[in-house]
Amino acid sequence: MIDAFFDPITYIIMGGTYLMGSIPFGLIFTKFSGLGDIRSIGSGNIGTTNVLRTGNKKVAALTFFCDAAKGTLPVYITSIFKPELAPLAGFFAVFGHIFPVWLKFRGGKGVATAFGATLGLSWPLALMMLVTWITIAAITRYSSLAALVATVTSPFFAFVLTNLMTTYYALGLAVLLVFTHKNNIRRLVLGQESKIGDTTPLQNRGNDV
């Protein structure tokens, strides 16, 4: 595996998957739908949760599907030609969504793209993450907490269900998503985080996942 870091193909995959992950579907779809610039709505995030705040469920669903697909597709393509690098492709797709070059490196939280990439790598692992998210969300009604728990526990599930490279991918993913949810973590500690179904206007940016 060390030899891969001296292979130009590795860097082509990293760059290509990063650029694919950087496509801001939430921003594109809301603008083309006449909903304005999503960055000036709600939390200012380009992800599904903030798109849903426009009131257009179809555009929000399309955003989630495409954000997830830009995680799954790079993994699938890479697995055909360089299967050992598929976890790396998944990681950089998520990294691209969070830090898109087109938007001055200010993107989304990475949840949908992370789920899509994980689904492409291992559906049992993606299923365990989904079950964890649903369980925590149902108990606490905190979407952000559910996403954090599902992500932080994913390395354990990856170790049990998959291989070492996918476990490393899950670890990297956990670090990334904890970083993108740092404001959510602070509000959770302070008891100020919005719950699922809460229609109270947002006072601070970054409330969504």
Side-chain angles (χ1 to χ4, degrees):
M1 186 63 197
I2 294 178
D3 293 341
F5 290 97
F6 298 96
D7 187 347
I9 297 298
T10 300
Y11 297 97
I12 292 173
I13 290 173
M14 289 165 60
T17 55
Y18 166 79
L19 291 175
M20 188 175 294
S22 293
I23 302 173
F25 285 114
L27 178 63
I28 293 170
F29 293 151
T30 50
K31 280 195 172 183
F32 274 91
S33 300
L35 299 173
D37 190 332
I38 191 62
R39 294 170 297 180
S40 64
I41 299 171
S43 68
N45 196 279
I46 64 170
T48 303
T49 305
N50 202 39
V51 174
L52 190 59
R53 292 190 179 107
T54 66
N56 194 317
K57 295 180 180 180
K58 291 182 179 179
V59 173
L62 184 61
T63 298
F64 177 84
F65 176 81
C66 290
D67 278 350
K70 70 184 184 184
T72 305
L73 191 59
V75 169
Y76 176 74
I77 294 173
T78 304
S79 66
I80 295 175
F81 301 100
K82 284 278 188 177
E84 68 276 14
L85 296 180
L88 189 67
F91 177 84
F92 273 90
V94 178
F95 191 84
H97 176 79
I98 296 171
F99 304 107
V101 63
W102 327 110
L103 302 180
K104 298 180 180 180
F105 306 103
R106 297 180 63 182
K109 295 290 183 71
V111 175
T113 306
F115 177 75
T118 305
L119 186 63
L121 286 169
S122 169
W123 70 262
L125 176 58
L127 179 61
M128 289 304 301
M129 292 177 69
L130 180 60
V131 169
T132 302
W133 187 94
I134 292 173
T135 301
I136 300 300
I139 294 172
T140 68
R141 291 182 55 229
Y142 287 119
S143 179
S144 57
L145 180 61
L148 283 165
V149 174
T151 304
V152 170
T153 57
S154 65
F156 169 75
F157 293 130
F159 181 77
V160 174
L161 298 171
T162 64
N163 52 51
L164 189 59
M165 284 306 299
T166 304
T167 301
Y168 288 149
Y169 154 83
L171 281 168
L173 205 64
V175 172
L176 271 183
L177 267 66
V178 166
F179 170 79
T180 63
H181 286 78
K182 59 183 183 299
N183 290 332
N184 301 85
I185 294 172
R186 186 185 71 250
R187 284 190 296 274
L188 283 166
V189 172
L190 296 175
Q192 299 172 352
E193 180 71 324
S194 299
K195 291 189 175 184
I196 296 172
D198 187 358
T199 57
T200 302
L202 295 173
Q203 301 300 320
N204 298 298
R205 287 179 175 260
N207 284 352
D208 47 338
V209 299

